[in-house]
Amino acid sequence: RFSSGRRRRREPAAEGSPPRDRGSMRCQQVAVQYFARSTELAELCSETLSVPQQITSLQLWEEIVKIHPR
């Protein structure tokens, strides 16, 4: 048992196990801004995307590519 005010130390993840929710977002909408070549390919500077309650940055990228395959 830990005394109050003392933080528990996190153990490193076991090799081969998925990362602990690092890089994920918990929201319903994400504002995406495009720059340079991405603006040309998407044909817009920014947009708001509806996403699941929890999504990783890689999953968000895959959603953007589905919407704007160029």
Side-chain angles (χ1 to χ4, degrees), residues 9-49:
R9 188 176 145 205
R10 283 189 173 185
E11 295 298 319
E15 190 173 329
S17 66
R20 290 188 183 118
D21 199 33
R22 291 188 183 144
S24 68
M25 300 173 278
R26 295 177 190 265
C27 57
Q28 292 182 353
Q29 293 188 332
V30 174
V32 180
Q33 291 189 312
Y34 299 103
F35 298 93
R37 182 78 173 133
S38 297
T39 300
E40 294 171 15
L41 295 172
E43 298 180 344
L44 47 101
C45 295
S46 65
E47 66 182 325
T48 301
L49 300 177

